[in-house]
Amino acid sequence: MLTAYDYSTAKLMDSCGIDALLVGDSLGMVMLGYDSTLPVTMDDMIHHAKAVARGSERALVVADMPFMSYQVSVAEAVANAGRLLKETGVGAVKLEGGAEVCPQIEAITRASVPVMGHLGLTPQSIHTLGGYKVQGKDRDRARRLVEDARAVERAGAFAAVLECVPAGLAALITRLLQIPTIGIGAGADCDGQVLVYQDMLGLYPGKKPRFVKRYADAGAVMERAFRSYIEETESGLFPTAEHAFTIDEEILNELKTHYEPESRS
Ligand code: KIV
């Protein structure tokens, strides 16, 4: 699984054979420039999810439920999950949390909307977690993570993302659950993996998180191309005749005679 936020990237990933595309609320940071995912709205998610769904022919597309679209009440959660499915064409929604969001997961799945869970580092809770750090390292928190994962499965989630969880704990949770786990910073023993594509392509400024592998430096490739374009347009090297369209000479001469009679004399 990879994140995707627009039509052309989704189409490219889909044609490469990706199993699932996540329209993550990480779009708040990597596409919209916020410093967290908290400001992302339902309208933002719907806008981007529509584009990704249009670009995907075979991959499962999952859209994140943004902050405060499911926390306030179960009824609101069902209505917002329904909007995401109905208005965008995605196949499932994802929401963050453990036992505390199980009533929402139950009600949303009962309404025939497939739900993916998200446990461990849940970025929408950044202010209560106290920062972007590995979760479940001490005995109590590790046990709670296991119990939360089991609760999310019992509530009806069809899969669960495990973010920034120690590899051994993620492996244990993966063995204990019947549903697939999808890891990000959770080691190799999860059933699947997900990355934010800007991270794996070097397109997002700042320090690379330890769990990210950089598969290409697309940022550097794009930077070179942008610089060449600026230089060539300024120096006249671009565009050349091969990038231009022609018009019948006779028509052009008629127009010149009409509009620029002084330059003819
Ligand atoms: O929003 C997102 O991109 C995510 C992934 C980090 C799993 O939730």
Side-chain angles (χ1 to χ4, degrees):
M1 185 183 220
L2 281 169
T3 63
Y5 316 98
D6 67 90
Y7 170 80
S8 38
T9 312
K11 204 166 170 54
L12 201 57
M13 291 171 175
D14 189 70
S15 71
C16 290
I18 197 85
D19 288 327
L21 295 172
L22 173 64
V23 191
D25 62 353
S26 49
L27 69 84
M29 299 172 79
V30 297
M31 300 300 286
L32 304 178
Y34 298 131
D35 62 4
S36 78
T37 59
L38 302 189
V40 176
T41 64
M42 277 294 294
D43 288 345
D44 291 332
M45 291 308 305
I46 285 172
H47 179 74
H48 288 271
K50 275 181 176 171
V52 173
R54 283 193 291 263
S56 165
E57 274 175 34
R58 43 164 303 286
L60 168 68
V61 182
V62 182
D64 259 341
M65 297 196 67
F67 183 55
M68 283 301 142
S69 68
Y70 57 96
Q71 289 89 342
V72 177
S73 73
V74 170
E76 224 175 279
V78 175
N80 282 324
R83 265 194 83 191
L84 277 170
L85 229 69
K86 199 168 168 160
E87 295 179 30
T88 68
V90 303
V93 300
K94 174 165 83 57
L95 54 82
E96 298 181 4
E100 75 285 4
V101 293
C102 283
Q104 283 89 331
I105 296 177
E106 272 169 25
I108 295 170
T109 50
R110 219 179 300 124
S112 306
V113 177
V115 179
M116 179 178 278
H118 183 155
L119 298 143
L121 173 55
T122 46
Q124 291 177 16
S125 305
I126 198 63
H127 294 302
T128 44
L129 294 177
Y132 295 98
K133 40 191 176 197
V134 181
Q135 301 296 307
K137 281 188 69 102
D138 65 47
R139 188 173 287 107
D140 286 349
R141 289 196 175 93
R143 189 182 285 269
R144 207 167 93 210
L145 206 48
V146 173
E147 293 305 328
D148 275 341
R150 289 181 133 169
V152 161
E153 176 176 70
R154 273 196 307 274
F158 73 91
V161 166
L162 299 178
E163 178 166 356
C164 287
V165 172
L169 179 58
L172 172 65
I173 294 172
T174 301
R175 283 197 301 278
L176 292 174
L177 299 189
Q178 302 294 311
I179 60 173
T181 58
I182 302 179
I184 173 163
D189 291 321
C190 294
D191 296 300
Q193 296 291 327
V194 59
L195 281 178
V196 171
Y197 88 81
Q198 280 81 356
D199 287 343
M200 55 105 74
L201 292 184
L203 289 173
Y204 189 65
K207 198 167 162 272
K208 176 181 84 61
R210 177 190 155 121
F211 59 80
V212 170
K213 178 169 175 183
R214 195 144 282 172
Y215 282 84
D217 194 354
V221 173
M222 288 168 77
E223 199 181 312
R224 272 199 302 281
F226 297 147
R227 286 188 197 285
S228 300
Y229 169 72
I230 294 166
E231 273 166 33
E232 291 196 359
T233 50
E234 283 176 356
S235 66
L237 276 172
F238 175 83
T240 60
E242 70 173 298
H243 308 112
F245 303 100
T246 55
I247 183 175
D248 189 283
E249 276 299 309
E250 202 181 312
I251 298 173
L252 188 59
N253 283 334
E254 260 174 49
L255 289 169
K256 285 180 181 167
T257 311
H258 181 78
Y259 288 106
E260 302 176 322
E262 63 287 355
S263 65
R264 300 258 122 183
S265 54

